[in-house]
Amino acid sequence: MKAVLTRVTQARVTVDDEVVGELTHPGVLALVGVHREDGQKDAETMARKIAQLRILHEETSAVDVGAPVLVVSQFTLQGRTKKGRRPSWSDAAPGPEAERLIAEVVSALRGFGLEVSEGRFGATMQVASVNDGPFTVLVDTRD
C-alpha cells in the first residue's frame, strides 16, 4: 500500500459538483493506493502511519493533536513507469479488494479517535488542497 501524505490547512473532494469530503481546518490529506498483494496488515500499518507520523507542526502527529484526516483512494499510485510512456496499472488491486482495504484504513483511523472524511471510491474526483509548508511524504508499507 502506498500513500502520499500532505500536511494541509484545508482540503476538499468534489464529485459532480457535490462536496463529498472536506477538511476545514489543518490536518492530513492521504492519497492511498492499494497494491494487488496488500492485505489486512498493510491496512493496519498504513492507518498507524497516517495517524502517528509526526508530520504536523512542532513534530506532532494527527493523534497527538486530534487533527482531521481526509482519505482519498488513488489507484494510480500503484502505476509502474519503468517501460515506455504509458504507466502500467497491473500492480493495482482490483476494485472490490481495494475498496475493502481503503475502508479498513478509514475504520482503523477512526479507531484512533480521529475525525476522518473520505473521497468516493471509484468516482472521478476533484481534489483541492492547500499544502502547509509545503510538507508532503511518501509512505509505502512494502518498505
Side-chain angles (χ1 to χ4, degrees):
M1 194 171 283
K2 292 181 183 176
V4 174
L5 305 181
T6 304
R7 183 175 71 197
V8 296
T9 57
Q10 59 185 314
R12 176 178 45 255
V13 179
T14 306
V15 176
D16 296 328
D17 296 323
E18 172 193 358
V19 175
V20 297
E22 185 171 32
L23 299 183
T24 58
H25 51 283
V28 177
L29 170 62
L31 306 175
V32 182
V34 181
H35 189 276
R36 60 186 162 77
E37 294 178 359
D38 285 340
Q40 174 73 31
K41 184 177 180 193
D42 295 284
E44 292 168 0
T45 299
M46 184 57 71
R48 188 177 69 254
K49 290 289 189 180
I50 294 168
Q52 297 179 344
L53 273 177
R54 297 184 310 181
I55 62 173
L56 300 177
H57 287 282
E58 299 182 12
E59 293 189 15
T60 58
S61 70
V63 167
D64 292 338
V65 297
V69 178
L70 174 57
V71 176
V72 179
S73 64
Q74 189 163 352
F75 80 94
T76 59
L77 289 175
Q78 295 297 341
R80 285 188 298 164
T81 58
K82 186 173 182 175
K83 292 184 180 180
R85 299 181 307 154
R86 184 177 299 146
S88 167
W89 313 118
S90 62
D91 284 345
E97 182 65 11
E99 186 172 19
R100 181 184 68 79
L101 290 171
I102 293 288
E104 288 185 20
V105 169
V106 169
S107 177
L109 287 168
R110 289 183 175 138
F112 281 104
L114 296 172
E115 173 191 331
V116 182
S117 297
E118 304 175 63
R120 184 174 295 156
F121 189 89
T124 299
M125 298 176 271
Q126 290 73 50
V127 181
S129 64
V130 178
N131 191 325
D132 183 17
F135 196 105
T136 301
V137 296
L138 302 173
V139 176
D140 189 336
T141 60
R142 298 184 172 281
D143 287 345

